[in-house]
Amino acid sequence: MFLRNAVRYDIKWAIIPKVDGNLKSFALKYNITQKMVALGYYSFEDNERAFLDSIIEKF
């Protein structure tokens, strides 16, 4: 669902959200733009983001 949201929110915006830590490593490792990863990540609620963080740490 995270990757589907990341691709869905690949919008041509002048704004590039800041990505740190595990999300940045994930984006670089899987060759996904940091903007897509950030928008896909922030499309989730707080508790869902915490669960997603635990999954991304394993990658």
Side-chain angles (χ1 to χ4, degrees):
M1 185 184 309
F2 163 69
L3 291 176
R4 182 180 68 213
N5 284 342
V7 172
R8 179 184 306 163
Y9 295 118
D10 185 21
I11 303 169
K12 302 220 183 301
W13 285 356
I15 301 169
I16 299 175
K18 185 176 179 179
V19 179
D20 290 348
N22 292 335
L23 285 177
K24 187 171 187 172
S25 300
F26 183 84
L28 293 173
K29 182 176 181 180
Y30 292 103
N31 199 24
I32 305 171
T33 64
Q34 293 182 24
K35 178 173 63 173
M36 289 171 57
V37 169
L39 294 175
Y41 180 77
Y42 289 111
S43 68
F44 290 112
E45 297 293 326
D46 291 336
N47 58 347
E48 294 170 325
R49 277 189 229 141
F51 179 67
L52 184 59
D53 285 336
S54 68
I55 292 173
I56 289 177
E57 286 177 9
K58 295 177 185 175
F59 283 95

